[in-house]
Amino acid sequence: MVLQSEIKSALSYATSKGYQIHPDAFAMLKGLQGDLLKAVQDIIRQKKSGSPVIVVDDVKGLIAPESAAEAPPAEQKSEVLMDSSPAVNTGEGVDGYALLFKSRYEKTMRILAQRPDSRRIAKISTVKQNGRSGSVKGERSLGNAGTQVIAGLLMSRRQRKNGIELEIDDYTGRMQVIAATEDARKAASALALDQVVMLELENAKGVPGLSIKSVFSPDIPDHLPSRSKSEAYAVLISDMHVGSKYFMEQEFLRFLDWLSSDDDVVRKISFLCIGGDVIDGIGIFPNQDKELLMMDAASQMGHATKLLSKIPKRIKTFIIPGNHDPGRRALPQPGFPQATSGGLYGLENCEVLGNPAMVSLNGVKVLMFHGQSLDDVIATTPGLSYQRPAEAMKVLLKARHLSPTYGERTPIAPEAEDMMVMTEIPDILHSGHVHVTDVDSYRGTLVVNSGAWQAQTKFQQTMGITPSPGIAIVVNLATMQPFKKDFNQ
C-alpha cells in the first residue's frame, strides 16, 4: 500500500522537474511495489520524448520494457459468489413478510454481534419494564457504563419538539426514544428506514425517560480491498434503455468499437459488468409508448442482444436485470426469463445473473445491484440528491442492506430469506438506476454508479435530474483506481 507521504514526495519531484503525471499513469504507479519516488526519478531519467507529461507508456517502459505485441494477455479469473436467481423462494402475504423481516433481523444481528458493545444489547421488553418500575432513573440501574443498549428494526423516524424520535422493534416489543443532542440527531437522520440499528441509551437532563446517546449502524469495517495479482481492467456500465427514443445508440456503438480497438487499456480489459435496465421495457410508466422506438419488449431485447454480441468474446460479461427489464420487478429479481431474453443466453461470453449478484473478478469482489432503492434512500434521507448517488449508496453500505425501506417506491418480495443483506463486504459496489455517473470510496470499498446510455427524458426534466450518459467507468483491478471513459465525442 502506497503511503500518502510517498505519493506527495513523488508528485513534488515530478513538478519540480517540470513534469505532470497523467491520471492513468499515476494509477499504474500507485500499484507498483517498492519506492514510488525512485520510480518517478527513473522514468524522468529514461524519458525520451520531449513531452512534459508522464504517460502510461512511460511507466510500462519502466516495469515492462517489452513491446505491446509481446505483452502477456490480461488475467481473467471469475467466479459467481452470489446469485439471487436460484435462491428465489417467494412466500405469501403477512406470513411471507414475517419470514423476510425475521431473516433480515437475524442476519444483521449476526453482523452487529461482531461489535464489542453488542454484548450489552438488552431486550426492549426488559428495558421498558425497568422503565415502568422506575429502576432506570438511577445511574446504577444502567450498568457500569451508565447506559443501556438496544437493537432492532427502525420502524419510524419522526421530528419532535425536543429532537428526532426513533421507534425500534425487536422480537419482544417496540420502543420510542429521542435523539436530542446534535450528534445523535445527525446520526439518526442518516439512518435508512427499516434497517437494523443499535442504540446506546442514557438518562439525559431535560429529556423524559431514556434518550439516545450513540447510534450504531451495522456498517462495513475499514478494510483493504482485494486486488488482481496482475494488471487487468473491468468496465462498469448500466441503463442502456434500448428501445427508447432517448437511447444513445451512436455513443454506445462508439463504446463497442472501442472495446474492439487496439487501445493499450482495452488490451487489458478482462471483464464487463452491466448493471440492469438493458431495455426500456413496456408499460413501466404512464404514456411510455410516446417515448418508444420499439413497441414490444421482444424487439427491444432482440436489438439489445444484437448490440451486446459485438462485445469481443475475450471479455467476460456479467449482466443483471433492472426495473425496466422483463421479469418480475420486486426485489430480489431473478435473471432475465429465458422466453423473453431475445437470445441473451446464447452469447457465449455473457453470464446472466439476478439482481443483486456478487462476482469475483481476479479476486476482487464486485457487488452488482441495479439500485432501485436509491429512490427511497434519497427521498427519506436529509441532504441527499440524485446528483450524488454515491452518497446514497454509502447509506446502503452503512445499513449493510441493499433495499432496507419497505412500502415506498421499491417493491420487495416476501422472500423466506432476505438476500438483500450484505453479509460479505464488497470491494466494489456497482449500481445504476439514477443515470448519474458518480465514483467515490467508503472504508475501502469503491462505490460506483455507472450512469446510463439514455439522454435526459421528459420525466427527468420535470424532476430536475441532469443525467451524465455515454460514460463508462473503467477500474484497474490491480490498483483499484477508476477512471471515466467518455463516448459523447
Side-chain angles (χ1 to χ4, degrees):
M1 182 178 179
V2 180
L3 299 176
Q4 289 297 320
S5 58
E6 296 178 24
I7 295 173
K8 185 176 180 180
S9 297
L11 290 174
S12 297
Y13 179 82
T15 303
S16 70
K17 296 296 183 180
Y19 287 91
Q20 294 181 326
I21 303 177
H22 189 278
D24 293 350
F26 185 62
M28 188 179 296
L29 280 168
K30 288 179 67 178
L32 295 178
Q33 299 294 318
D35 190 333
L36 183 60
L37 174 59
K38 184 178 183 302
V40 172
Q41 291 172 338
D42 289 343
I43 289 172
I44 292 175
R45 190 180 305 114
Q46 298 172 13
K47 194 166 172 61
K48 297 177 181 179
S49 70
S51 171
V53 179
I54 295 173
V55 296
V56 168
D57 284 344
D58 295 324
V59 183
K60 287 183 176 179
L62 177 70
I63 63 177
E66 61 193 346
S67 68
E70 296 170 336
E75 182 183 5
Q76 188 181 60
K77 295 180 181 178
S78 63
E79 179 185 359
V80 177
L81 302 177
M82 187 274 287
D83 178 12
S84 51
S85 289
V88 167
N89 184 24
T90 305
E92 294 183 4
V94 175
D95 291 339
Y97 283 107
L99 288 173
L100 175 74
F101 284 101
K102 180 176 183 290
S103 172
R104 175 182 302 188
Y105 177 81
E106 292 177 349
K107 290 174 79 170
T108 314
M109 288 299 289
R110 286 195 288 271
I111 295 171
L112 277 175
Q114 299 172 24
R115 302 183 68 102
D117 284 347
S118 66
R119 299 177 183 178
R120 299 177 53 214
I121 294 175
K123 297 177 181 178
I124 286 179
S125 61
T126 301
V127 176
K128 291 175 70 175
Q129 181 61 39
N130 290 342
R132 284 193 291 270
S133 66
S135 62
V136 295
K137 293 180 180 179
E139 289 292 324
R140 185 178 300 172
S141 67
L142 295 179
N144 294 333
T147 60
Q148 289 195 81
V149 176
I150 62 171
L153 293 167
L154 175 60
M155 305 304 292
S156 67
R157 177 176 54 211
R158 299 182 180 91
Q159 187 69 46
R160 302 298 189 193
K161 290 182 179 180
N162 55 346
I164 297 175
E165 180 190 79
L166 302 183
E167 183 177 27
I168 308 299
D169 177 44
D170 69 7
Y171 282 147
T172 68
R174 295 188 179 187
M175 185 175 185
Q176 292 85 31
V177 285
I178 291 288
T181 66
E182 183 178 349
D183 288 345
R185 290 186 191 199
K186 183 178 179 180
S189 298
L191 296 171
L193 293 175
D194 299 320
Q195 76 163 83
V196 173
V197 63
M198 185 168 75
L199 303 176
E200 184 181 19
L201 308 178
E202 65 178 354
N203 282 320
K205 293 181 180 180
V207 182
L210 293 172
S211 65
I212 299 172
K213 178 182 180 181
S214 302
V215 177
F216 304 97
S217 282
D219 215 335
I220 62 170
D222 285 307
H223 65 285
L224 293 175
S226 301
R227 300 187 181 198
S228 174
K229 293 180 180 178
S230 62
E231 187 183 12
Y233 291 83
V235 180
L236 311 180
I237 66 170
S238 185
D239 292 81
M240 294 159 59
H241 289 271
V242 174
S244 166
K245 290 180 180 179
Y246 301 101
F247 170 48
M248 298 164 56
E249 185 159 359
Q250 292 306 310
E251 287 79 359
F252 194 73
L253 287 171
R254 285 194 204 115
F255 166 67
L256 294 173
D257 288 341
W258 177 69
L259 290 181
S260 298
S261 71
D262 59 358
D263 182 274
D264 283 344
V265 170
V266 170
R267 292 187 68 259
K268 294 292 186 179
I269 293 174
S270 293
F271 309 101
L272 171 62
C273 296
I274 303 176
D277 278 1
V278 172
I279 65 171
D280 204 50
I282 304 294
I284 307 300
F285 54 87
N287 300 315
Q288 184 185 11
D289 57 304
K290 296 178 181 178
E291 298 187 3
L292 294 176
L293 287 175
M294 300 177 182
M295 306 307 294
D296 62 274
S299 299
Q300 294 177 15
M301 283 302 305
H303 189 56
T305 300
K306 182 178 178 181
L307 289 169
L308 296 177
S309 69
K310 298 178 183 294
I311 298 168
K313 299 298 183 288
R314 66 175 184 81
I315 298 177
K316 179 67 176 179
T317 302
F318 297 92
I319 306 175
I320 65 170
N323 56 301
H324 280 247
D325 293 316
R328 85 171 187 184
R329 296 176 193 166
L331 296 175
Q333 288 180 281
F336 292 78
Q338 287 269 5
T340 55
S341 65
L344 195 60
Y345 287 88
L347 300 179
E348 61 183 75
N349 59 323
C350 292
E351 189 157 359
V352 179
L353 305 172
N355 174 32
M358 180 179 278
V359 295
S360 171
L361 308 180
N362 288 0
V364 177
K365 291 183 287 188
V366 181
L367 179 55
M368 299 174 65
F369 170 55
H370 178 62
Q372 297 94 312
S373 64
L374 296 178
D375 290 328
D376 297 328
V377 172
I378 291 170
T380 59
T381 308
L384 296 185
S385 74
Y386 281 102
Q387 296 308 125
R388 287 300 316 275
E391 293 300 316
M393 293 169 68
K394 291 179 189 178
V395 172
L396 303 182
L397 286 170
K398 293 174 184 178
R400 293 292 286 269
H401 200 284
L402 291 169
S403 187
T405 305
Y406 172 76
E408 297 294 334
R409 294 178 60 179
T410 307
I412 300 174
E415 294 292 326
E417 177 189 357
D418 191 343
M419 287 174 274
M420 312 303 286
V421 177
M422 285 185 256
T423 53
E424 283 197 71
I425 302 166
D427 298 311
I428 301 175
L429 175 59
H430 172 213
S431 292
H433 186 63
V434 300
H435 293 207
V436 177
T437 305
D438 197 14
V439 181
D440 207 339
S441 62
Y442 178 70
R443 294 195 161 191
T445 292
L446 182 64
V447 180
V448 176
N449 196 294
S450 55
W453 298 86
Q454 184 184 42
Q456 187 181 44
T457 65
K458 292 181 179 179
F459 173 76
Q460 290 171 336
Q461 289 177 351
T462 61
M463 293 291 292
I465 299 173
T466 304
S468 49
I471 296 172
I473 304 297
V474 186
V475 181
N476 185 336
L477 299 177
T479 64
M480 293 299 285
Q481 292 296 317
F483 64 92
K484 298 179 181 179
K485 183 70 176 177
D486 195 332
F487 295 92
N488 288 286
Q489 301 176 12

